[in-house]
Short mmCIF file of all heavy atoms in Angstrom, two decimals:
data_model
loop_
_atom_site.label_atom_id
_atom_site.label_comp_id
_atom_site.label_asym_id
_atom_site.label_seq_id
_atom_site.Cartn_x
_atom_site.Cartn_y
_atom_site.Cartn_z
N ILE E 1 -5.56 -27.85 27.73
CA ILE E 1 -6.31 -28.26 28.90
C ILE E 1 -7.62 -27.59 28.91
O ILE E 1 -8.54 -28.31 29.33
CB ILE E 1 -5.43 -27.95 30.20
CG1 ILE E 1 -4.19 -28.91 30.09
CG2 ILE E 1 -6.16 -28.20 31.36
CD1 ILE E 1 -3.16 -28.56 31.17
N LYS E 2 -7.75 -26.42 28.63
CA LYS E 2 -9.04 -25.70 28.71
C LYS E 2 -10.08 -26.33 27.81
O LYS E 2 -11.22 -26.62 28.16
CB LYS E 2 -8.79 -24.26 28.28
CG LYS E 2 -8.44 -23.27 29.40
CD LYS E 2 -8.35 -21.91 28.83
CE LYS E 2 -8.02 -21.00 29.89
NZ LYS E 2 -7.96 -19.56 29.39
N SER E 3 -9.75 -26.71 26.55
CA SER E 3 -10.71 -27.19 25.65
C SER E 3 -10.94 -28.66 25.71
O SER E 3 -12.01 -29.16 25.39
CB SER E 3 -10.35 -26.75 24.24
OG SER E 3 -9.07 -27.34 23.85
N ALA E 4 -9.88 -29.39 26.01
CA ALA E 4 -10.02 -30.88 26.08
C ALA E 4 -10.44 -31.43 27.40
O ALA E 4 -11.15 -32.36 27.47
CB ALA E 4 -8.59 -31.43 25.59
N LEU E 5 -9.79 -31.02 28.52
CA LEU E 5 -9.91 -31.54 29.83
C LEU E 5 -11.02 -30.76 30.67
O LEU E 5 -11.87 -31.49 31.44
CB LEU E 5 -8.60 -31.68 30.59
CG LEU E 5 -7.60 -32.56 29.77
CD1 LEU E 5 -6.29 -32.49 30.51
CD2 LEU E 5 -8.11 -33.96 29.63
N ASN E 6 -10.92 -29.50 30.76
CA ASN E 6 -11.76 -28.75 31.58
C ASN E 6 -13.36 -28.99 31.43
O ASN E 6 -14.05 -29.13 32.38
CB ASN E 6 -11.52 -27.27 31.59
CG ASN E 6 -10.42 -26.88 32.50
OD1 ASN E 6 -9.84 -27.65 33.14
ND2 ASN E 6 -9.90 -25.63 32.24
N PRO E 7 -13.89 -29.11 30.16
CA PRO E 7 -15.28 -29.25 30.00
C PRO E 7 -15.72 -30.58 30.79
O PRO E 7 -16.92 -30.58 31.36
CB PRO E 7 -15.48 -29.51 28.58
CG PRO E 7 -14.31 -28.64 27.94
CD PRO E 7 -13.22 -28.95 28.90
N THR E 8 -14.94 -31.62 30.78
CA THR E 8 -15.25 -32.95 31.44
C THR E 8 -14.93 -32.97 32.97
O THR E 8 -15.60 -33.43 33.83
CB THR E 8 -14.75 -34.11 30.75
OG1 THR E 8 -15.22 -34.06 29.33
CG2 THR E 8 -15.18 -35.41 31.22
N PHE E 9 -13.67 -32.54 33.20
CA PHE E 9 -13.13 -32.77 34.53
C PHE E 9 -12.95 -31.53 35.38
O PHE E 9 -12.64 -31.62 36.52
CB PHE E 9 -11.71 -33.45 34.35
CG PHE E 9 -11.75 -34.68 33.61
CD1 PHE E 9 -11.15 -34.90 32.43
CD2 PHE E 9 -12.50 -35.85 34.14
CE1 PHE E 9 -11.11 -36.01 31.72
CE2 PHE E 9 -12.43 -37.09 33.40
CZ PHE E 9 -11.80 -37.16 32.23
N GLY E 10 -13.26 -30.41 34.74
CA GLY E 10 -12.97 -29.15 35.51
C GLY E 10 -13.72 -28.94 36.83
O GLY E 10 -13.20 -28.23 37.70
N ASN E 11 -14.98 -29.42 36.84
CA ASN E 11 -15.70 -29.27 38.06
C ASN E 11 -15.56 -30.42 39.21
O ASN E 11 -16.30 -30.34 40.09
CB ASN E 11 -17.19 -29.04 37.72
CG ASN E 11 -17.44 -27.77 36.96
OD1 ASN E 11 -16.82 -26.77 37.25
ND2 ASN E 11 -18.29 -27.77 36.12
N LYS E 12 -14.69 -31.35 38.81
CA LYS E 12 -14.57 -32.55 39.74
C LYS E 12 -13.42 -32.40 40.51
O LYS E 12 -12.32 -31.79 40.10
CB LYS E 12 -14.49 -33.86 38.91
CG LYS E 12 -15.82 -34.17 38.29
CD LYS E 12 -15.65 -35.60 37.63
CE LYS E 12 -17.11 -35.96 37.23
NZ LYS E 12 -17.20 -37.53 37.46
N THR E 13 -13.37 -32.94 41.73
CA THR E 13 -12.10 -32.94 42.51
C THR E 13 -11.38 -34.13 41.96
O THR E 13 -11.79 -35.09 41.35
CB THR E 13 -12.41 -33.18 44.03
OG1 THR E 13 -13.08 -34.38 44.12
CG2 THR E 13 -13.14 -32.00 44.53
N LEU E 14 -10.02 -34.14 42.00
CA LEU E 14 -9.08 -35.06 41.53
C LEU E 14 -9.53 -36.44 42.04
O LEU E 14 -9.51 -37.52 41.22
CB LEU E 14 -7.68 -34.93 41.87
CG LEU E 14 -7.08 -33.65 41.26
CD1 LEU E 14 -5.66 -33.41 41.70
CD2 LEU E 14 -7.01 -33.85 39.59
N ASN E 15 -9.80 -36.64 43.29
CA ASN E 15 -10.24 -37.97 43.73
C ASN E 15 -11.60 -38.42 43.43
O ASN E 15 -11.98 -39.63 43.75
CB ASN E 15 -10.02 -37.94 45.28
CG ASN E 15 -10.95 -37.01 46.06
OD1 ASN E 15 -11.58 -36.25 45.49
ND2 ASN E 15 -10.86 -37.21 47.40
N ALA E 16 -12.35 -37.65 42.73
CA ALA E 16 -13.75 -37.98 42.35
C ALA E 16 -13.66 -38.51 40.82
O ALA E 16 -14.69 -39.03 40.24
CB ALA E 16 -14.51 -36.83 42.32
N ILE E 17 -12.55 -38.37 40.15
CA ILE E 17 -12.39 -38.88 38.79
C ILE E 17 -12.04 -40.33 38.91
O ILE E 17 -11.08 -40.81 39.48
CB ILE E 17 -11.27 -38.14 38.11
CG1 ILE E 17 -11.61 -36.51 38.04
CG2 ILE E 17 -11.22 -38.60 36.67
CD1 ILE E 17 -10.54 -35.68 37.48
N GLY E 18 -12.88 -41.13 38.14
CA GLY E 18 -12.69 -42.59 38.15
C GLY E 18 -12.40 -43.10 36.74
O GLY E 18 -12.45 -42.28 35.73
N VAL E 19 -12.01 -44.39 36.65
CA VAL E 19 -11.65 -45.07 35.36
C VAL E 19 -12.89 -44.83 34.36
O VAL E 19 -12.68 -44.60 33.22
CB VAL E 19 -11.39 -46.54 35.56
CG1 VAL E 19 -11.11 -47.17 34.26
CG2 VAL E 19 -10.17 -46.61 36.35
N ALA E 20 -14.16 -45.08 34.83
CA ALA E 20 -15.28 -44.97 33.94
C ALA E 20 -15.32 -43.46 33.46
O ALA E 20 -15.69 -43.23 32.26
CB ALA E 20 -16.55 -45.24 34.78
N ASP E 21 -15.12 -42.40 34.24
CA ASP E 21 -15.01 -41.10 33.77
C ASP E 21 -14.08 -40.92 32.65
O ASP E 21 -14.37 -40.24 31.63
CB ASP E 21 -14.73 -40.13 34.83
CG ASP E 21 -15.77 -40.08 35.92
OD1 ASP E 21 -17.00 -40.17 35.64
OD2 ASP E 21 -15.42 -40.14 37.17
N VAL E 22 -12.77 -41.47 32.78
CA VAL E 22 -11.78 -41.36 31.84
C VAL E 22 -12.32 -42.11 30.50
O VAL E 22 -12.09 -41.60 29.38
CB VAL E 22 -10.49 -41.88 32.32
CG1 VAL E 22 -9.43 -41.80 31.26
CG2 VAL E 22 -10.04 -41.12 33.48
N ASN E 23 -12.90 -43.18 30.65
CA ASN E 23 -13.28 -43.95 29.41
C ASN E 23 -14.48 -43.21 28.70
O ASN E 23 -14.38 -43.25 27.47
CB ASN E 23 -13.82 -45.42 29.97
CG ASN E 23 -12.70 -46.31 30.20
OD1 ASN E 23 -11.53 -46.08 29.67
ND2 ASN E 23 -12.93 -47.25 31.09
N ARG E 24 -15.40 -42.62 29.40
CA ARG E 24 -16.39 -41.88 28.74
C ARG E 24 -15.67 -40.62 28.10
O ARG E 24 -16.11 -40.29 26.85
CB ARG E 24 -17.40 -41.28 29.92
CG ARG E 24 -18.45 -42.38 30.08
CD ARG E 24 -19.66 -41.73 30.80
NE ARG E 24 -19.17 -41.17 32.23
CZ ARG E 24 -19.07 -41.92 33.31
NH1 ARG E 24 -19.46 -43.18 33.25
NH2 ARG E 24 -18.68 -41.35 34.51
N TRP E 25 -14.78 -40.05 28.61
CA TRP E 25 -14.09 -38.86 28.09
C TRP E 25 -13.31 -39.26 26.77
O TRP E 25 -13.39 -38.70 25.72
CB TRP E 25 -13.03 -38.21 28.99
CG TRP E 25 -12.21 -37.23 28.39
CD1 TRP E 25 -12.65 -35.89 28.21
CD2 TRP E 25 -10.93 -37.42 27.79
NE1 TRP E 25 -11.57 -35.18 27.57
CE2 TRP E 25 -10.50 -36.04 27.41
CE3 TRP E 25 -10.07 -38.42 27.86
CZ2 TRP E 25 -9.25 -35.90 26.81
CZ3 TRP E 25 -8.71 -38.27 27.29
CH2 TRP E 25 -8.46 -37.02 26.89
N ILE E 26 -12.75 -40.50 26.85
CA ILE E 26 -12.02 -41.03 25.58
C ILE E 26 -12.95 -41.14 24.47
O ILE E 26 -12.68 -40.84 23.31
CB ILE E 26 -11.15 -42.30 25.92
CG1 ILE E 26 -10.01 -41.92 26.80
CG2 ILE E 26 -10.68 -43.02 24.65
CD1 ILE E 26 -9.37 -43.25 27.40
N GLY E 27 -14.12 -41.82 24.81
CA GLY E 27 -15.12 -42.06 23.77
C GLY E 27 -15.70 -40.74 23.22
O GLY E 27 -15.85 -40.79 21.91
N LYS E 28 -15.93 -39.87 23.96
CA LYS E 28 -16.43 -38.48 23.57
C LYS E 28 -15.43 -37.76 22.64
O LYS E 28 -15.78 -37.22 21.55
CB LYS E 28 -16.73 -37.60 24.79
CG LYS E 28 -17.44 -36.40 24.47
CD LYS E 28 -17.80 -35.50 25.75
CE LYS E 28 -16.89 -34.39 25.84
NZ LYS E 28 -17.19 -33.56 27.01
N GLN E 29 -14.14 -37.80 22.96
CA GLN E 29 -13.07 -37.13 22.29
C GLN E 29 -12.86 -37.98 20.86
O GLN E 29 -12.67 -37.41 19.87
CB GLN E 29 -11.80 -37.17 23.04
CG GLN E 29 -11.79 -36.33 24.22
CD GLN E 29 -12.15 -34.81 23.92
OE1 GLN E 29 -13.24 -34.43 24.00
NE2 GLN E 29 -11.12 -34.10 23.66
N SER E 30 -13.06 -39.15 20.86
CA SER E 30 -12.74 -40.06 19.74
C SER E 30 -13.82 -39.82 18.69
O SER E 30 -13.52 -40.20 17.53
CB SER E 30 -12.80 -41.54 20.16
OG SER E 30 -11.65 -41.75 21.03
N VAL E 31 -14.97 -39.31 19.02
CA VAL E 31 -15.95 -39.07 17.95
C VAL E 31 -15.54 -37.91 17.06
O VAL E 31 -15.82 -38.07 15.87
CB VAL E 31 -17.32 -38.63 18.73
CG1 VAL E 31 -18.36 -38.20 17.69
CG2 VAL E 31 -17.84 -39.84 19.48
N SER E 32 -14.92 -37.03 17.61
CA SER E 32 -14.55 -35.84 16.62
C SER E 32 -12.99 -35.59 16.47
O SER E 32 -12.73 -34.80 15.69
CB SER E 32 -15.01 -34.50 17.42
OG SER E 32 -14.47 -34.28 18.64
N LEU E 33 -12.21 -36.34 17.01
CA LEU E 33 -10.74 -36.25 16.94
C LEU E 33 -10.11 -37.57 16.44
O LEU E 33 -10.67 -38.72 16.72
CB LEU E 33 -10.05 -35.74 18.33
CG LEU E 33 -10.56 -34.53 18.79
CD1 LEU E 33 -10.01 -34.30 20.24
CD2 LEU E 33 -10.12 -33.39 17.96
N LYS E 34 -8.94 -37.31 15.74
CA LYS E 34 -8.15 -38.47 15.34
C LYS E 34 -7.60 -39.23 16.54
O LYS E 34 -7.29 -38.55 17.62
CB LYS E 34 -6.98 -38.02 14.49
CG LYS E 34 -7.54 -37.57 13.17
CD LYS E 34 -6.28 -37.17 12.37
CE LYS E 34 -6.87 -36.62 10.91
NZ LYS E 34 -5.63 -36.16 10.05
N PRO E 35 -7.37 -40.53 16.54
CA PRO E 35 -6.79 -41.21 17.71
C PRO E 35 -5.44 -40.61 18.19
O PRO E 35 -5.32 -40.61 19.42
CB PRO E 35 -6.47 -42.64 17.15
CG PRO E 35 -7.56 -42.77 16.01
CD PRO E 35 -7.64 -41.39 15.43
N SER E 36 -4.66 -40.13 17.35
CA SER E 36 -3.39 -39.51 17.83
C SER E 36 -3.61 -38.29 18.72
O SER E 36 -2.94 -37.99 19.67
CB SER E 36 -2.50 -39.18 16.59
OG SER E 36 -3.17 -38.22 15.61
N SER E 37 -4.69 -37.46 18.30
CA SER E 37 -4.98 -36.27 19.09
C SER E 37 -5.49 -36.73 20.44
O SER E 37 -5.23 -36.11 21.36
CB SER E 37 -6.11 -35.51 18.40
OG SER E 37 -5.42 -34.94 17.17
N VAL E 38 -6.30 -37.75 20.36
CA VAL E 38 -6.77 -38.38 21.72
C VAL E 38 -5.75 -38.74 22.60
O VAL E 38 -5.61 -38.54 23.86
CB VAL E 38 -7.95 -39.24 21.52
CG1 VAL E 38 -8.57 -39.71 22.93
CG2 VAL E 38 -9.16 -38.70 20.65
N LYS E 39 -4.79 -39.48 22.00
CA LYS E 39 -3.68 -40.05 22.72
C LYS E 39 -2.73 -38.88 23.34
O LYS E 39 -2.37 -38.93 24.42
CB LYS E 39 -2.80 -40.85 21.82
CG LYS E 39 -3.40 -42.24 21.53
CD LYS E 39 -2.31 -43.04 20.67
CE LYS E 39 -2.91 -44.34 20.24
NZ LYS E 39 -2.10 -45.18 19.42
N ARG E 40 -2.58 -37.80 22.59
CA ARG E 40 -1.75 -36.65 23.13
C ARG E 40 -2.49 -36.06 24.34
O ARG E 40 -1.95 -35.70 25.28
CB ARG E 40 -1.56 -35.65 21.96
CG ARG E 40 -0.44 -35.92 21.18
CD ARG E 40 0.03 -34.72 20.32
NE ARG E 40 -1.07 -34.23 19.48
CZ ARG E 40 -1.30 -34.70 18.34
NH1 ARG E 40 -0.76 -35.71 17.79
NH2 ARG E 40 -2.41 -34.24 17.60
N GLN E 41 -3.89 -35.94 24.17
CA GLN E 41 -4.63 -35.44 25.37
C GLN E 41 -4.56 -36.28 26.48
O GLN E 41 -4.33 -35.77 27.61
CB GLN E 41 -6.04 -35.14 24.90
CG GLN E 41 -6.23 -33.95 23.83
CD GLN E 41 -7.67 -33.81 23.36
OE1 GLN E 41 -8.60 -34.64 23.76
NE2 GLN E 41 -7.81 -32.78 22.54
N LEU E 42 -4.71 -37.57 26.24
CA LEU E 42 -4.65 -38.49 27.44
C LEU E 42 -3.24 -38.62 27.97
O LEU E 42 -3.13 -38.61 29.27
CB LEU E 42 -4.91 -39.91 26.86
CG LEU E 42 -5.09 -40.94 27.92
CD1 LEU E 42 -6.14 -40.67 29.06
CD2 LEU E 42 -5.38 -42.36 27.29
N THR E 43 -2.32 -38.38 27.24
CA THR E 43 -0.93 -38.26 27.75
C THR E 43 -0.68 -37.08 28.75
O THR E 43 -0.10 -37.19 29.83
CB THR E 43 0.12 -38.13 26.67
OG1 THR E 43 0.04 -39.37 25.92
CG2 THR E 43 1.58 -37.84 27.21
N THR E 44 -1.31 -35.93 28.38
CA THR E 44 -1.26 -34.79 29.21
C THR E 44 -2.15 -35.05 30.53
O THR E 44 -1.65 -34.74 31.64
CB THR E 44 -1.92 -33.53 28.51
OG1 THR E 44 -1.17 -33.25 27.30
CG2 THR E 44 -2.00 -32.40 29.39
N PHE E 45 -3.29 -35.72 30.43
CA PHE E 45 -4.16 -35.93 31.53
C PHE E 45 -3.40 -36.96 32.49
O PHE E 45 -3.39 -36.68 33.62
CB PHE E 45 -5.38 -36.63 31.09
CG PHE E 45 -6.36 -36.83 32.23
CD1 PHE E 45 -6.93 -35.91 32.98
CD2 PHE E 45 -6.53 -38.26 32.43
CE1 PHE E 45 -7.87 -36.32 34.00
CE2 PHE E 45 -7.41 -38.53 33.68
CZ PHE E 45 -8.03 -37.60 34.30
N ASN E 46 -2.73 -37.94 31.84
CA ASN E 46 -2.09 -38.92 32.55
C ASN E 46 -0.80 -38.18 33.37
O ASN E 46 -0.66 -38.63 34.50
CB ASN E 46 -1.43 -40.08 31.70
CG ASN E 46 -0.97 -41.16 32.40
OD1 ASN E 46 -1.65 -41.64 33.37
ND2 ASN E 46 0.05 -41.72 31.86
N ALA E 47 -0.13 -37.38 32.85
CA ALA E 47 0.86 -36.67 33.42
C ALA E 47 0.39 -35.86 34.69
O ALA E 47 1.01 -35.87 35.76
CB ALA E 47 1.71 -35.77 32.52
N ILE E 48 -0.81 -35.23 34.53
CA ILE E 48 -1.32 -34.47 35.61
C ILE E 48 -1.73 -35.32 36.70
O ILE E 48 -1.45 -35.11 38.01
CB ILE E 48 -2.61 -33.61 35.11
CG1 ILE E 48 -2.20 -32.54 34.16
CG2 ILE E 48 -3.50 -33.06 36.30
CD1 ILE E 48 -3.41 -31.92 33.36
N MET E 49 -2.28 -36.45 36.38
CA MET E 49 -2.89 -37.45 37.38
C MET E 49 -1.58 -38.11 38.06
O MET E 49 -1.55 -38.33 39.27
CB MET E 49 -3.79 -38.42 36.80
CG MET E 49 -5.13 -37.81 36.33
SD MET E 49 -5.94 -36.78 37.54
CE MET E 49 -6.77 -38.03 38.43
N ASN E 50 -0.53 -38.39 37.35
CA ASN E 50 0.64 -39.01 37.93
C ASN E 50 1.26 -38.12 38.91
O ASN E 50 1.80 -38.45 40.03
CB ASN E 50 1.62 -39.45 36.88
CG ASN E 50 1.38 -40.75 36.32
OD1 ASN E 50 0.67 -41.62 36.86
ND2 ASN E 50 1.87 -40.84 35.04
N SER E 51 1.28 -36.75 38.56
CA SER E 51 1.80 -35.66 39.47
C SER E 51 0.98 -35.69 40.77
O SER E 51 1.59 -35.55 41.85
CB SER E 51 1.81 -34.40 38.74
OG SER E 51 2.34 -33.41 39.65
N ALA E 52 -0.24 -35.76 40.58
CA ALA E 52 -1.21 -35.70 41.72
C ALA E 52 -0.86 -37.00 42.74
O ALA E 52 -0.84 -36.85 43.89
CB ALA E 52 -2.65 -35.74 41.33
N VAL E 53 -0.62 -38.10 42.13
CA VAL E 53 -0.23 -39.26 42.87
C VAL E 53 1.00 -39.08 43.58
O VAL E 53 1.19 -39.30 44.77
CB VAL E 53 -0.12 -40.59 42.01
CG1 VAL E 53 0.35 -41.70 42.75
CG2 VAL E 53 -1.60 -40.92 41.46
N ASN E 54 2.00 -38.58 42.88
CA ASN E 54 3.32 -38.29 43.47
C ASN E 54 3.32 -37.32 44.56
O ASN E 54 4.07 -37.37 45.55
CB ASN E 54 4.34 -37.83 42.46
CG ASN E 54 4.57 -38.96 41.45
OD1 ASN E 54 4.54 -40.07 41.73
ND2 ASN E 54 5.15 -38.55 40.21
N GLU E 55 2.35 -36.30 44.57
CA GLU E 55 2.19 -35.33 45.58
C GLU E 55 1.37 -35.70 46.69
O GLU E 55 1.11 -35.02 47.63
CB GLU E 55 1.63 -34.09 44.99
CG GLU E 55 2.45 -33.32 43.89
CD GLU E 55 3.73 -32.73 44.56
OE1 GLU E 55 3.61 -32.24 45.82
OE2 GLU E 55 4.78 -32.76 43.93
N GLY E 56 0.80 -36.96 46.57
CA GLY E 56 -0.03 -37.50 47.65
C GLY E 56 -1.56 -37.05 47.62
O GLY E 56 -2.25 -37.32 48.62
N LEU E 57 -1.88 -36.33 46.59
CA LEU E 57 -3.25 -35.82 46.51
C LEU E 57 -4.25 -36.88 46.17
O LEU E 57 -5.46 -36.72 46.60
CB LEU E 57 -3.42 -34.80 45.44
CG LEU E 57 -2.37 -33.58 45.75
CD1 LEU E 57 -2.43 -32.58 44.55
CD2 LEU E 57 -2.80 -32.87 46.91
N ILE E 58 -3.94 -37.94 45.48
CA ILE E 58 -4.80 -39.02 45.24
C ILE E 58 -4.01 -40.35 45.34
O ILE E 58 -2.73 -40.38 45.30
CB ILE E 58 -5.51 -38.96 43.81
CG1 ILE E 58 -4.34 -38.91 42.65
CG2 ILE E 58 -6.35 -37.79 43.67
CD1 ILE E 58 -4.87 -38.91 41.20
N ASP E 59 -4.82 -41.45 45.43
CA ASP E 59 -3.97 -42.82 45.74
C ASP E 59 -3.56 -43.43 44.43
O ASP E 59 -2.50 -44.08 44.40
CB ASP E 59 -4.93 -43.81 46.51
CG ASP E 59 -5.21 -43.32 47.94
OD1 ASP E 59 -4.27 -42.69 48.51
OD2 ASP E 59 -6.37 -43.52 48.40
N GLN E 60 -4.48 -43.17 43.38
CA GLN E 60 -4.03 -43.91 42.17
C GLN E 60 -4.49 -43.12 40.96
O GLN E 60 -5.34 -42.33 41.12
CB GLN E 60 -4.50 -45.41 42.07
CG GLN E 60 -6.08 -45.46 42.16
CD GLN E 60 -6.56 -46.89 42.10
OE1 GLN E 60 -5.78 -47.75 41.96
NE2 GLN E 60 -7.78 -47.07 41.98
N ASN E 61 -3.80 -43.34 39.85
CA ASN E 61 -4.22 -42.60 38.55
C ASN E 61 -5.24 -43.38 37.79
O ASN E 61 -5.06 -44.47 37.37
CB ASN E 61 -2.84 -42.54 37.71
CG ASN E 61 -3.13 -41.81 36.37
OD1 ASN E 61 -4.14 -41.62 36.04
ND2 ASN E 61 -2.03 -41.52 35.72
N PRO E 62 -6.42 -42.87 37.73
CA PRO E 62 -7.53 -43.52 37.01
C PRO E 62 -7.30 -43.83 35.49
O PRO E 62 -7.76 -44.72 34.90
CB PRO E 62 -8.69 -42.66 37.21
CG PRO E 62 -8.14 -41.28 37.44
CD PRO E 62 -6.92 -41.52 38.12
N SER E 63 -6.46 -42.89 34.91
CA SER E 63 -6.19 -43.21 33.46
C SER E 63 -5.22 -44.38 33.27
O SER E 63 -5.13 -44.82 32.08
CB SER E 63 -5.49 -41.88 32.85
OG SER E 63 -4.36 -41.62 33.38
N ALA E 64 -4.60 -44.80 34.32
CA ALA E 64 -3.67 -45.98 34.13
C ALA E 64 -4.46 -47.29 33.81
O ALA E 64 -4.01 -48.12 33.09
CB ALA E 64 -2.92 -46.22 35.46
N LYS E 65 -5.80 -47.38 34.13
CA LYS E 65 -6.59 -48.51 33.88
C LYS E 65 -7.65 -48.23 32.85
O LYS E 65 -8.53 -49.08 32.59
CB LYS E 65 -7.28 -49.03 35.19
CG LYS E 65 -6.31 -49.44 36.21
CD LYS E 65 -6.96 -49.98 37.38
CE LYS E 65 -5.98 -50.52 38.31
NZ LYS E 65 -6.57 -51.12 39.62
N ALA E 66 -7.51 -47.08 32.13
CA ALA E 66 -8.59 -46.77 31.18
C ALA E 66 -8.30 -47.51 29.79
O ALA E 66 -7.21 -48.22 29.64
CB ALA E 66 -8.43 -45.27 30.83
N HIS E 67 -9.30 -47.58 28.99
CA HIS E 67 -9.21 -48.20 27.72
C HIS E 67 -8.13 -47.73 26.85
O HIS E 67 -7.81 -46.50 26.95
CB HIS E 67 -10.47 -48.07 26.85
CG HIS E 67 -11.62 -48.80 27.48
ND1 HIS E 67 -12.95 -48.26 27.35
CD2 HIS E 67 -11.73 -49.87 28.36
CE1 HIS E 67 -13.81 -48.98 28.08
NE2 HIS E 67 -13.02 -50.03 28.64
N GLN E 68 -7.48 -48.54 26.18
CA GLN E 68 -6.36 -48.18 25.25
C GLN E 68 -7.02 -47.61 23.98
O GLN E 68 -8.15 -48.02 23.46
CB GLN E 68 -5.61 -49.43 24.81
CG GLN E 68 -4.80 -50.08 25.90
CD GLN E 68 -3.79 -49.13 26.49
OE1 GLN E 68 -3.10 -48.54 25.66
NE2 GLN E 68 -3.76 -49.06 27.86
N ILE E 69 -6.40 -46.58 23.45
CA ILE E 69 -6.85 -45.89 22.28
C ILE E 69 -6.15 -46.67 20.99
O ILE E 69 -5.05 -46.77 21.03
CB ILE E 69 -6.47 -44.41 22.20
CG1 ILE E 69 -7.05 -43.70 23.52
CG2 ILE E 69 -6.91 -43.78 20.98
CD1 ILE E 69 -6.49 -42.44 23.81
N LYS E 70 -7.11 -47.08 20.10
CA LYS E 70 -6.52 -47.86 19.01
C LYS E 70 -6.51 -46.75 17.75
O LYS E 70 -7.31 -46.01 17.63
CB LYS E 70 -7.40 -48.88 18.58
CG LYS E 70 -7.65 -50.00 19.67
CD LYS E 70 -8.44 -51.15 19.29
CE LYS E 70 -8.60 -52.09 20.58
NZ LYS E 70 -9.44 -53.15 20.17
N GLY E 71 -5.44 -46.96 17.08
CA GLY E 71 -5.23 -46.17 15.94
C GLY E 71 -3.96 -45.47 15.87
O GLY E 71 -3.21 -45.35 16.73
#
């Protein structure tokens, strides 16, 4: 989380993170990492955001509508 998610999302509130932010993050991570690594990171991010939805902190998970990672 520290190295993969905090640099991009650490200073944002959960409700300020949008689909475009997630897509930009996927693109940035895909430059230097294998697709399987990006998928694992996205799975972690997705779990965090799903938990936030379940707790009522945000209305919807922005990673649910993000681009699919190929590979």
